[in-house]
Amino acid sequence: MSITSPLSSLSVKQMFDRDSCTYTYLLIDPKTHEGVIIDAVKEQLERDLLCIEELGIELLYSIETHVHADHITSAGSIRQNTGAQIAYSQSAAIKSIDVQLNDGDDLIIGEHRIKAISTPGHTAGCMSFYVEGMVFSGDCLLIRGCGRTDFQQGSSEDLYHSITQKLFSLPDETLVYPGHDYNGRTCSTIAEEKQWSPRVGQGKSLDDFLQIMQNLNLALPKKINEAVPANTNCGINFRPDAYIHEAFSMQSLYKVWRQHEECQPNEKSNNILIVDNRTTEEYSVGHVPRSLNIPLGTESQHLQALKNHNHVYLYCHSGRRSQTALTHLSILGLSNITCVSHSGFPEWLELGFPIER
Ligand SMILES: [Fe+2]
């Protein structure tokens, strides 16, 4: 679908990935044919490249609003095919990108200036992009909603301030183009969201917002274990076999543990390591026998030990802390990590597996 803002001569194409409900945007300067793509999806690479070719677009940038957890980006492949530079927020700490953006930086296409606005909260490195009466808000502000904040260094407090202080300070008529919509809506305005967003509309307080966000109880995205590590490398050179997908449960961990226990001591040395990402207090009450306690946030102090094992398995209480630790470690370059991301130690107990105190 092609759209334009009354304030802009920029041509904008909004495209959709049905599987992840992601919007990808192509912004084109009609005079120079220079363009950018925002949040391109791996499965839609052919569609996007064809469109770029048919319209004769000289693609200057492949922009990512953040490290996505629900789909793999095609930014790396788009760069290989078109020569576009990959632009990301500096605070997303992504390897092998071309342009590191800070709050207020501009990307220029033809006569148009796309302004990067740092809008952390959904993830710590989220950015929105404003150009001539339109804001591409990624997963910060969605239509009648906002991104979740329960993993990838998310913060509900930061998200509230990003929306209410940064995006809501844009002119009311600004068109809002989100990173996703799950209900078939394509576009909103700042005025509409100020009025009708059930999470932040009608002047909702930070306390109201925190209350709402704490009670969302969402399941983790299906593809998080492959998408996050892949996206920290722009979707390229990704070895899916290095990561185990959603089916990796505490039961799977038990099988790994059992095998390890059964092999001879001389075979064990650097084979596998099971890591408990809970707090020291939780760990001391009971844990997987011979697991190593690395509370979330301290994993960089144990890098060498983690690198010294062929494979490292992470678990915690519910899977969220392990998932976050996996993200940190993959950013630090480790590819030997698997995590139990949909359950945790309570399941180990329930299943009657041995514990150590
Ligand atoms: Fe997201």
Side-chain angles (χ1 to χ4, degrees):
M1 167 186 181
S2 289
I3 46 179
T4 43
S5 153
L7 301 175
S8 177
S9 62
L10 201 63
S11 158
V12 180
K13 281 195 171 291
Q14 183 179 35
M15 297 179 291
F16 190 58
D17 175 59
R18 238 185 244 127
D19 192 36
S20 62
C21 293
T22 301
Y23 285 123
T24 297
Y25 299 92
L26 258 175
L27 280 53
I28 311 138
D29 173 34
K31 280 194 195 151
T32 62
H33 287 220
E34 288 174 349
V36 303
I37 194 163
I38 301 176
D39 287 339
V41 175
K42 184 179 158 215
E43 283 75 12
Q44 304 297 343
L45 177 66
E46 272 181 40
R47 175 199 70 187
D48 296 344
L49 288 176
L50 184 63
C51 184
I52 289 164
E53 191 188 319
E54 287 174 347
L55 299 183
I57 300 166
E58 187 193 338
L59 199 71
L60 300 189
Y61 301 106
S62 180
I63 301 173
E64 293 288 295
T65 56
H66 63 293
V67 180
H68 306 282
D70 61 334
H71 68 269
I72 296 178
T73 176
S74 65
S77 305
I78 288 202
R79 175 170 60 188
Q80 281 165 0
N81 281 277
T82 65
Q85 295 191 310
I86 299 176
Y88 242 118
S89 161
Q90 184 176 27
S91 49
I94 301 304
K95 286 176 260 175
S96 62
I97 64 168
D98 306 291
V99 182
Q100 296 193 334
L101 295 167
N102 288 300
D103 188 44
D105 285 353
D106 287 329
L107 292 171
I108 309 284
I109 52 165
E111 298 174 343
H112 308 276
R113 195 173 283 271
I114 301 169
K115 188 166 284 303
I117 309 170
S118 171
T119 47
H122 169 57
T123 70
C126 279
M127 276 199 152
S128 299
F129 294 89
Y130 177 83
V131 56
E132 298 162 12
M134 299 176 275
V135 66
F136 299 88
S137 56
D139 290 2
C140 176
L141 181 61
L142 303 177
I143 299 174
R144 310 298 189 263
C146 62
R148 61 195 293 174
T149 54
D150 53 342
F151 52 74
Q152 286 182 279
Q153 305 96 53
S155 154
S156 299
E157 205 168 327
D158 289 352
L159 184 59
Y160 180 81
H161 292 126
S162 291
I163 296 174
T164 58
Q165 290 174 15
K166 291 198 155 172
L167 297 185
F168 280 3
S169 68
L170 294 170
D172 274 355
E173 63 277 16
T174 305
L175 298 174
V176 175
Y177 289 108
H180 298 282
D181 192 85
Y182 305 94
N183 297 294
R185 295 166 299 202
T186 55
C187 178
S188 181
T189 64
I190 292 294
E192 265 186 47
E193 295 311 313
K194 277 182 180 168
Q195 174 73 15
W196 297 113
S197 170
R199 296 194 185 166
V200 284
Q202 300 184 18
K204 280 228 163 39
S205 70
L206 173 62
D207 282 347
D208 293 339
F209 183 70
L210 295 179
Q211 190 73 26
I212 292 168
M213 296 305 284
Q214 265 162 25
N215 291 304
L216 292 180
N217 297 321
L218 300 169
L220 284 177
K222 278 188 293 188
K223 292 187 180 172
I224 187 167
N225 281 355
E226 56 180 320
V228 171
N231 288 335
T232 57
N233 202 25
C234 300
I236 46 176
N237 299 329
F238 173 59
R239 295 184 297 115
D241 56 319
Y243 302 93
I244 300 211
H245 307 123
E246 58 176 320
F248 197 80
S249 61
M250 286 308 272
Q251 252 164 322
S252 323
L253 184 69
Y254 175 70
K255 281 187 205 150
V256 167
W257 176 84
R258 206 39 216 278
Q259 261 176 9
H260 186 57
E261 291 292 309
E262 282 167 3
C263 68
Q264 298 304 309
N266 60 344
E267 297 169 339
K268 277 185 189 173
S269 55
N270 286 336
N271 191 7
I272 67 150
L273 175 67
I274 296 176
V275 168
D276 184 322
N277 290 126
R278 297 174 303 158
T279 62
T280 315
E281 293 72 40
E282 290 171 285
Y283 178 82
S284 64
V285 175
H287 51 262
V288 173
R290 283 163 287 291
S291 59
L292 175 68
N293 186 210
I294 303 184
L296 178 65
T298 66
E299 50 279 2
S300 55
Q301 297 161 27
H302 300 268
L303 269 191
Q304 207 46 51
L306 298 173
K307 281 181 184 166
N308 284 346
H309 288 81
N310 291 345
H311 216 109
V312 176
Y313 296 86
L314 311 179
Y315 75 89
C316 60
H317 181 83
S318 69
R320 290 183 196 280
R321 281 175 280 182
S322 295
Q323 178 57 54
T324 305
L326 181 141
T327 305
H328 288 164
L329 292 167
S330 55
I331 288 172
L332 293 169
L334 273 71
S335 59
N336 60 339
I337 316 280
T338 292
C339 83
V340 178
S341 58
H342 291 261
S343 62
F345 194 65
E347 192 186 334
W348 183 277
L349 281 178
E350 234 168 69
L351 292 167
F353 299 149
I355 63 164
E356 186 176 69
R357 288 193 168 87

